[in-house]
């Protein structure tokens, strides 16, 4: 019967397809095993030599059984360490209970460790993370109130432990070494604060909240004093603007944080948004807010950038890798910023007894 | 019922035999030259740091200039935005970079290979490069426009490696008995390897233009087969900690994987500090890498390097 032979044909085809598939799996397993039966001790040991090496490859590595993180053995951090002692920065990170695992955790795992002191500010205390409980509510409209309370807390408990006081969000990435370089040219007794300067609403401009801002000790004292003497208002729904207004009222200068070539160091977005021409549309608010002429493309950003904002968790680690790990070997950077004079003297003092070949290299 | 199950079984058997035949044929083609010797996974390392410090300052500049890297980038019209990004970014750091395309593309200058087949493109590009430049460059680096390369780190890796020896370096993959360098991570050939390759390109038994019998074999595998005949074997490049230096993934992908597999050591477990290549980047990410590698850094961290590389002329993003 015709239908029966059709059915037979169908089952035959099904069978052959299954047979084909099964065999392919079988073969790949067999071939995989064949690869594994060869001694793979060498696979995990990058220092091993090969028996059939007829001396042509000139492999010249030494076995380092005390393998530390040897990538950084030839890295000289004298200048960075000197600045760590001289320019003490207390960082406080604006966060909340719902963001500890999602965001604040990655800040803690990366740049926060380089602050002289770091505090995570939340509406509630969390002893494990740990966070400081500001006893406020959460929400965008609470930001200014949280900011005031955070600075109050820092002022009351840590005023003498630092020279500069940096505020950042839990999606801000900060390069502390570059911040210290920027601040080393100023004194903590100056009434001044730095960040990404915006021009609207405040005559001397104000600093973008997300890109982070840093107050000198004097600026912090005046900020706290402003509320005691009621020169500044507590209520505002726009944290950075309100703080900027208060700074102006208290005669704290809005500083110029650009580098020696005029490039911005604090950034309200991630590198991609600044570096790629046309990424931010021309109608975007950003273009009208910058105090200094806005630049997109490579001129957007200083080599010694201090901060980026809207940094998600992956990008936090990527930036950490790009700033502190990956580099172009032997590359002579175009931008060679001057060392602060005092630092130069101190570091040279230390190096006087060392091997003259180990110079300062490329800062 | 019985006739159906028997026809089913016959089908299974036939399907299996059919597959086995195909696999054998394909395997024989690839595995032919393998009787030469068994060798295990080859690893090559970055230079040793103690030796580097012994190089005098005068020798550094001269040594840096002794590496001449010619970059071959194989492109197709659909790669236009990546092509633009690659042209504006890392290829400026090659001693010379040329783009080899499947056909003429009005927007960019390229050497037209007049073929859509990647293996044919690769062969022709290698032949062109060798015929024209074998006396001017000692290392030849081939990449796709999805790859970002740091040529300075390549030169550092090649320190102490003699280009008159047959080197074939990159991110290696083992496929059965064949170990080949993946084109996605970039392929490095010394001038000696180029010479040997080019002597075989005319011999179809050793270096056929159409490798696989039933289905196509990728161009990087075909290259490996060809080079094997010439006694050139793939070597995986690693740093002092055993991390791959040529990567077939992007930094972002490595980070994402690290965040799930070892969340307490994300950056430490990610990638080499001396990485040469990353792959799978978008054009925007290329610009970010350019900034991240050649500009963005932490003040006060300095290095005493054995080589000195100057920024290229007429460039503003590095």
């Amino acid at each position: 019967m015709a239908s029966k032979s059709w059915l037979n044909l169908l089952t035959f085809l099904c069978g052959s397809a299954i047979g084909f598939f099964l065999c392919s799996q079988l073969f790949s397993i067999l071939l995989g095993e064949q690869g594994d039966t060869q001694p793979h001790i060498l696979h995990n040991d990058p220092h091993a030599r090969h028996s059939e090496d007829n001396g042509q490859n000139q492999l010249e590595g030494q076995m380092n059984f005390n393998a530390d993180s040897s990538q950084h053995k030839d890295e000289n951090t004298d200048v960075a360490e000197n600045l760590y002692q001289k320019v003490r920065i207390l960082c406080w990170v604006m966060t909340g209970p719902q963001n500890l695992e999602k965001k604040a955790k990655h800040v803690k795992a990366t740049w926060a460790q380089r602050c002289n002191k770091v505090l995570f500010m939340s509406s509630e205390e969390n002893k494990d993370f740990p966070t400081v409980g500001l006893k406020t509510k959460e929400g965008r409209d609470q930001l200014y109130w949280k900011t005031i309370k955070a600075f109050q807390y820092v002022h009351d408990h840590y005023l003498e432990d630092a020279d500069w006081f940096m505020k950042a969000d839990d999606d801000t990435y900060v390069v502390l070494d570059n911040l210290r370089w920027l601040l080393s040219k100023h004194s903590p007794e100056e009434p001044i604060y730095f960040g990404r300067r915006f021009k609207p609403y405040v005559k001397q401009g104000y600093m973008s909240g997300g890109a982070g801002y840093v107050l000198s000790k004097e600026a912090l004292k005046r900020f706290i004093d402003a509320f005691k003497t009621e020169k500044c208002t507590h209520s505002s729904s726009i944290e950075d603007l309100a703080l900027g207004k208060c700074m102006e009222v208290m005669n704290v200068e809005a500083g110029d944080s650009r580098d020696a070539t005029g490039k911005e160091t604090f950034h309200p977005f991630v590198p991609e948004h600044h570096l790629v021409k046309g990424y931010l549309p021309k109608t975007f608010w950003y273009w009208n807010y910058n105090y200094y002429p806005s630049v997109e493309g490579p001129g957007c950003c200083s080599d010694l950038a201090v901060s980026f904002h809207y940094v998600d968790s992956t990008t936090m680690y990527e930036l950490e890798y790009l700033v502190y790990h990956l580099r172009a070997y032997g590359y002579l950077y175009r931008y060679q910023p001057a060392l602060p004079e005092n630092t130069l003297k101190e570091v040279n003092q230390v190096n006087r007894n060392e091997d003259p070949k180990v110079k300062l290299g490329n800062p | 019922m019985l006739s159906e199950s028997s026809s089913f079984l016959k089908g299974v058997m036939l399907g299996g035999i059919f597959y086995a035949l195909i696999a054998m044929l394909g395997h024989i083609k690839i595995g032919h030259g393998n009787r030469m010797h068994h060798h295990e996974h080859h690893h090559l390392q970055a230079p040793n740091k103690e030796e580097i410090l012994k190089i005098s300052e005068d020798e550094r500049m001269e040594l840096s200039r002794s590496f001449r890297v010619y970059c071959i980038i194989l492109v197709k019209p659909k790669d236009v935005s990546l092509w633009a990004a690659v042209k504006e970014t890392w290829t400026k750091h090659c001693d010379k970079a040329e783009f080899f395309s499947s056909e003429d593309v009005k927007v960019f200058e390229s050497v037209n290979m007049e073929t859509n087949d990647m293996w044919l493109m690769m062969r022709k590009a290698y032949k062109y490069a060798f015929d024209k430049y074998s006396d001017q460059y000692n290392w030849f680096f081939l990449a796709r426009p999805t790859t970002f390369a740091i040529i300075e780190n390549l030169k550092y890796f090649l320190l102490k490696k003699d280009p008159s020896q047959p080197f074939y370096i990159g991110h290696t993959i083992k496929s059965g008995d064949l170990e080949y360098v993946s084109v996605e991570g970039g392929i490095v050939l010394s001038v000696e390897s180029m010479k040997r390759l080019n002597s075989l390109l005319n011999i179809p038994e050793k270096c056929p233009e159409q490798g696989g019998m039933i289905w196509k074999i990728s161009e990087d595998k075909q290259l490996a087969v060809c080079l094997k005949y010439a006694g050139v074997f793939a070597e995986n490049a690693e740093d002092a900690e055993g991390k791959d230096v040529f990567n077939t993934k992007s930094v972002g992908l490595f980070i994402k994987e690290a965040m799930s597999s070892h969340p307490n050591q994300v950056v430490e477990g990610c990638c080499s500090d001396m990485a040469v290549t990353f792959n799978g980047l978008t054009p925007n990410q290329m610009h970010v890498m350019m900034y991240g590698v050649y500009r963005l850094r932490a003040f006060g961290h300095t290095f005493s390097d054995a080589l000195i590389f100057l920024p290229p002329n007429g460039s503003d993003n590095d």
Side-chain angles (χ1 to χ4, degrees), chain A residues 13 19 25 35 65 69 75 116 129 134 143-144 160 165 184 206 216 236 238 243 262 264-265 284 312 314 360-361:
Chain A
L13 285 172
Q25 292 305 304
F65 289 102
S69 53
E75 184 174 356
N116 296 74
F129 192 84
L134 299 172
L143 283 177
Y144 191 45
E160 296 313 317
F165 302 85
S184 65
Y206 68 97
S216 67
S236 164
I238 311 172
L243 188 127
E264 296 272 14
T265 54
F284 201 46
D312 64 21
T314 315
L360 279 165

Side-chain angles (χ1 to χ4, degrees), chain A residues 71 76 301-302 321 334-335, chain B residues 239 272 291 295 297 302 318:
Chain A
Q71 303 274 9
N76 182 317
C301 314
S302 174
Y321 174 66
R334 286 188 203 272
Y335 181 53
Chain B
D239 66 15
S272 174
Y291 173 68
R295 296 179 53 208
R297 60 200 185 272
T302 62
D318 54 19

Side-chain angles (χ1 to χ4, degrees), chain A residues 4 7-9 11-12 14-20 22-24 27 31 34-35 38-40 42-43 45-47 50-53 56-62 68-80 83 105-106 110 175 177-178 181 263 267 271-272 275-276 279 298-299 301-305 308 313-314 317-340 357-363, chain B residues 1 3-4 7-8 10-12 14-20 22-24 27 37-45 47-57 60 93 150 152-153 156 160-162 165-167 174 176-177 235 238-243 251-252 255-256 259 263 266-267 270-275 278 284-285 287-289 291-313 315-318:
Chain A
K4 190 143 197 217
L7 196 61
N8 272 345
L9 185 65
T11 42
F12 179 80
C14 270
S16 56
I18 290 171
F20 192 90
L22 278 173
C23 239
S24 74
F27 262 75
L31 285 177
Q34 205 175 64
Q38 288 177 1
H40 260 228
L42 295 172
H43 188 64
D45 182 0
H47 301 278
H50 305 285
S51 46
E52 62 274 2
D53 242 1
Q56 287 180 354
N57 280 351
Q58 297 170 18
L59 264 168
E60 284 165 309
Q62 277 184 15
D68 55 328
S69 53
S70 53
Q71 303 274 9
H72 295 264
K73 269 208 292 223
D74 49 358
E75 184 174 356
N76 182 317
T77 52
D78 288 350
V79 173
L83 283 178
K105 183 172 91 161
H106 307 297
T110 56
V175 187
D177 296 277
N178 295 346
W181 172 77
K263 294 192 183 73
H267 302 281
E272 187 178 351
L275 288 166
V276 176
Y279 195 105
C301 314
S302 174
D303 289 21
L304 301 184
F308 295 100
S313 54
T314 315
Y317 295 107
E318 277 186 62
L319 284 170
E320 181 79 7
Y321 174 66
L322 290 176
V323 175
Y324 289 99
H325 294 266
L326 184 65
R327 65 187 185 97
Y329 187 85
Y331 189 66
L332 199 66
Y333 298 109
R334 286 188 203 272
Y335 181 53
Q336 298 284 346
L339 269 177
K357 273 202 182 131
V358 183
K359 279 212 211 145
L360 279 165
N362 303 324
Chain B
M1 201 54 210
S3 65
E4 272 140 41
S7 59
F8 181 79
K10 279 183 210 158
V12 172
L14 198 67
I17 292 167
F18 189 57
Y19 180 84
I22 294 171
M24 290 297 184
H27 198 65
H37 46 179
H38 280 304
H39 61 97
E40 299 91 354
H41 214 80
H42 264 95
H43 303 256
L44 264 191
Q45 270 198 319
N48 175 265
K49 282 164 182 120
E50 280 82 54
E51 286 170 326
I52 285 159
L53 289 176
K54 292 183 201 140
I55 301 173
S56 80
E57 281 213 38
R60 283 176 201 205
H93 291 245
I150 306 167
E152 288 79 5
N153 289 351
Y156 172 59
K160 301 254 173 204
K161 290 177 180 63
D162 181 2
Q165 298 300 319
F167 282 103
K174 228 170 169 199
D177 268 345
E235 289 174 293
E238 293 161 16
D239 66 15
E241 291 178 352
K243 287 185 188 166
V251 177
I255 296 287
K256 284 198 172 79
M259 281 172 76
V266 176
V267 177
C270 161
C271 330
S272 174
D273 284 21
M274 287 290 116
F278 290 101
N284 284 1
Q285 286 168 344
H287 291 284
V288 175
M289 283 299 282
Y291 173 68
V293 171
Y294 292 105
R295 296 179 53 208
L296 181 64
R297 60 200 185 272
F299 184 82
H301 295 242
T302 62
F303 298 84
S304 36
D305 292 338
L307 302 170
I308 305 170
F309 298 112
L310 301 177
N313 286 331
S315 180
D316 65 352
N317 59 355
D318 54 19

Side-chain angles (χ1 to χ4, degrees), chain A residues 155 159-160 216-226:
Chain A
H155 176 271
L159 188 65
E160 296 313 317
S216 67
K217 189 183 301 229
E218 179 57 29
L220 176 60
K221 283 182 187 165
R222 292 192 189 189
F223 183 65
I224 299 305
D225 193 59

Side-chain angles (χ1 to χ4, degrees), chain B residues 64-120:
Chain B
S64 310
R65 277 191 232 118
S66 72
F67 297 96
R68 305 259 309 148
V69 176
Y70 177 87
C71 297
I72 297 169
I73 301 102
L74 300 178
V75 288
K76 290 190 167 175
K78 66 177 172 70
D79 300 324
V80 144
S81 55
L82 284 168
W83 183 344
V86 161
K87 201 169 142 73
E88 283 163 30
T89 59
W90 63 266
T91 54
K92 289 190 279 190
H93 291 245
C94 301
D95 294 282
K96 187 170 178 68
E98 277 191 286
F99 292 84
F100 293 79
S101 56
S102 51
E103 58 191 76
D104 270 328
V105 177
K106 280 187 213 112
V107 205
F108 298 119
E109 217 178 274
S110 66
V111 183
N112 191 354
M113 299 282 89
E114 289 167 350
T115 171
N116 238 322
D117 180 84
M118 282 308 292
W119 171 228
L120 287 178

